[in-house]
Structure formats: structure tokens, C-alpha cells
Amino acid sequence: MSDTMKAVVLTRFGGPDAFEIQTLPVPSVGSRQVRVRVHATAINPLDYQIRRGDYADYVPLPAVIGHDVSGVVEAVGADVTEFAPGDEVYYTPKIFGGAGSYAEVHVADVDLVGRKPRNLSHVEAASLTLVGGTVWEAIVSRAGLRVGETILIHGGAGGVGTIAIQIAKAIGARVITTARADNYDFVHALGADDVVDYSSTDYVDAVGALTGGRGVDVVFDTIGGDTLTRSPLVLAPFGRVVSIVDIAAPQNLIEAWGRNASYHFVFTRQNRGKLDELTNLVERGLVRPVIGAVLPLERLAEGHEVLETGARRGLRGKVAIDVSGEAETIVPPLAAAA
């Protein structure tokens, strides 16, 4: 194999033009690591937050970022027995802990790596690792969602929401989600039982009506801001709120206190166990990836712009990056500003 690789490097904090395509040395493999030929990666809100400088203290520049890998093992360290060259794998690289996935080759600690679902392409698998792990951490590990409970998922048509709906339904919960009216059929097809148009309806009133005034057992917040502030208003007694969004402003939790609510704030932790659970659901046909855009590695900067303007493009699901150059490019058009 070549001792160099092509990578997309973040050279400064700023807009999508802060990336440069460079040729870098292929990293060496430690005793408990695997070297993976990356076939696909994906773009997450965390990626553009890093790019614009939100986490500047944690990301020394220049940097290769990116948090999703699907690919094929090329080499393993001396103490690796779990995988062998030729195995198809997928995983999330260590966040704020080394090089990311915007490259042709990636080296990872073996404990982070899972077997890729057999029924998915690499582009599909790469769209699931960070999102799937985050959803599992949020609604299974933290919220403890159970059969027969009701969950409100904010932002059901987004990259996280599409997977959250499916996992919640696989658990056996009733799912209420927020989405625009033009996404009703889409989120219903994913398994949502009820949909609230957040752009024209007060979701607090709507959820109250849908639950006969009882409220929901779990709120999964993917939006933050006012959405998080008002979430306790829809909670049943002893309900749980799980948020994956940074909190920039103080929160008044008096309503949550009155409901004996519990709050969980999730910055996902990577491990093979969550991926194995996700793989099981995928191979049973209970969870499927939703991909709204696919671009080659050379157009990764454009992929950031596509994700950030997703609302104006009607983007549903994830923005995936085809590193191997085998997938069809899909870019939803940008609608004219209203």
C-alpha cells in the first residue's frame, strides 16, 4: 500500500472554505489498533461546530476532523484478535482525541470498532455511527425508554431524529415527533405515531391533547434553546428529558421540579457495544439509515454547506461522503429565500 493518503484538512476556523485537500503520511498502527481503508464518512453538526471554532480549545490546527467511518481493515496491531485484514467495519473515531475520518485511511483503537451491518453499503453504514451511538446513549442508556411508554422526539426529520424514531419504535414505545407538515408522511413511514407541525402549532398544547393531559414519559431534545426550556411542560410525572445540545443560557427548571423529572445531557461515548446493538436492529430490519445527500471527498466542504442550509433544501437525514468514489452524487437543490 502507499505510505501517503489524501485527506481534507481544517487549516483555520471559519466557513467551509477553511478546508484544504492535502497529501499526508499514513499513520502507524499501535498494538491495540486497526488501520482502516475508509470507504465512506458523514458530516454531523458537531463537525461544522468544530470548523467554525466552537471547540477551538480542543482542536489544535491543522486538523483532520470527522466522526464517522465505514471501511475495510487493512492491518491490525500485534495484540488485536477481534478483526483481521479484509473485515468490513464501522465506528466513530475518538472525539477530541486524535485524527478524524475526513481521509482515505484511518487508525482507531480496536475497542471503538464494530462489524459493519451486512445489509448496508459503506455509505449507509457511515451515516449511522455517531448518530446511532448518540441515540442509543440518549434514549436507551440514559432515559431508559421502555415498552409502552410515550416519547416526544424533537426534529424527527433530521439526521438524529430519523434514527431516534426507529429505535424508539423498536423498543415498543409510542412516538410523537415534531416536523413540518411536508414531512408528515416521511416521519410516519419511519414509525412515528403522531406528528406535530412545530412551525404552525404550539407543541406543548398539541402534546397535551394527544396524551389526554398526561404528558410524555421521555423528551428527546435535538434542538435546544426554547425547545429545551419548554420541554418539562409536556412531561408526565417522573418523566425524563434527554438533550444532546449545548446549553448556552440558564434554564428555569421549576416545572421539571414539580414533575419529579430527571435531566440527562449527552455527549456520546464511543464503544463497540452500542454499535453491536445497532447492528442487530439494522440486520433485523428494524432500523434503516436515511441519507439526504451524498458527495465525494473532494466536495466535502460543499457537504458542510449542504448540511448548514438543510432547512432550505428540504434535507432529510444525513449528509454522507463517499471516499471510495463508488456512489452516486446526490445534492438537494437550495430553494430561493422566502
Side-chain angles (χ1 to χ4, degrees):
M1 59 157 282
S2 173
D3 57 359
T4 61
M5 64 180 184
K6 183 167 60 180
V8 178
V9 179
L10 182 65
T11 60
R12 57 184 171 81
F13 297 117
D17 61 348
F19 290 112
E20 290 182 5
I21 297 176
Q22 297 182 8
T23 298
L24 301 179
V26 170
S28 59
V29 181
S31 63
R32 286 288 293 164
Q33 292 183 318
V34 295
R35 187 178 71 229
V36 175
R37 174 65 56 175
V38 179
H39 283 235
T41 183
I43 302 174
N44 300 278
L46 175 60
D47 297 356
Y48 64 67
Q49 291 164 359
I50 290 173
R51 188 208 72 220
R52 68 193 184 193
D54 293 11
Y55 299 99
D57 291 342
Y58 300 95
V59 182
L61 298 181
V64 177
I65 66 171
H67 300 92
D68 298 282
V69 170
S70 183
V72 177
V73 175
E74 285 191 333
V76 301
D79 297 329
V80 172
T81 58
E82 298 92 330
F83 299 99
D87 288 346
E88 293 189 324
V89 296
Y90 75 146
Y91 60 94
T92 293
K94 188 180 298 182
I95 299 174
F96 302 141
S101 58
Y102 291 178
E104 293 179 317
V105 178
H106 187 265
V107 170
D109 295 343
V110 70
D111 292 337
L112 301 180
V113 177
R115 178 181 60 81
K116 183 182 77 67
R118 297 183 181 93
N119 55 338
L120 295 185
S121 69
H122 285 292
V123 166
E124 291 171 324
S127 74
L128 283 177
T129 62
L130 181 59
V131 164
T134 298
V135 171
W136 192 272
E137 176 87 10
I139 68 176
V140 179
S141 301
R142 301 290 189 87
L145 183 67
R146 297 184 289 271
V147 176
E149 290 191 318
T150 300
I151 182 171
L152 170 64
I153 297 171
H154 288 296
V160 175
T162 55
I163 301 303
I165 290 171
Q166 296 178 76
I167 290 180
K169 289 305 295 182
I171 290 170
R174 177 191 178 188
V175 175
I176 303 171
T177 192
T178 60
R180 291 185 179 273
D182 56 359
N183 281 321
Y184 272 26
D185 290 344
F186 172 66
V187 294
H188 273 304
L190 293 174
D193 297 286
D194 300 286
V195 188
V196 177
D197 183 353
Y198 64 87
S199 67
S200 63
T201 305
D202 186 308
Y203 80 83
V204 173
D205 293 339
V207 170
L210 288 168
T211 61
R214 176 184 178 275
V216 300
D217 301 288
V218 175
V219 174
F220 182 35
D221 169 42
T222 68
I223 308 297
D226 185 60
T227 299
L228 177 61
T229 301
R230 302 184 71 225
S231 285
L233 298 175
V234 301
L235 279 182
F238 300 96
R240 294 89 76 195
V241 175
V242 189
S243 179
I244 61 171
V245 183
D246 291 349
I247 300 176
Q251 300 288 306
N252 185 338
L253 300 181
I254 187 66
E255 294 290 345
W257 175 79
R259 289 167 168 78
N260 282 289
S262 60
Y263 272 62
H264 303 268
F265 299 98
V266 173
F267 187 87
T268 188
R269 298 167 295 174
Q270 305 84 53
N271 61 61
R272 184 184 307 134
K274 286 187 291 189
L275 288 176
D276 288 346
E277 297 284 1
L278 184 63
T279 295
N280 179 47
L281 294 181
V282 171
E283 293 186 340
R284 291 168 57 198
L286 298 174
V287 172
R288 62 181 177 85
V290 178
I291 299 173
V294 181
L295 296 97
L297 186 64
E298 293 81 2
R299 293 172 63 180
L300 187 142
E302 182 183 348
H304 271 240
E305 189 269 336
V306 168
L307 182 58
E308 290 181 278
T309 57
R312 290 179 55 198
R313 297 174 183 271
L315 181 70
R316 295 170 172 174
K318 292 295 296 290
V319 176
I321 300 298
D322 172 33
V323 180
S324 64
E326 299 172 352
E328 177 186 1
T329 296
I330 304 170
V331 180
L334 185 66

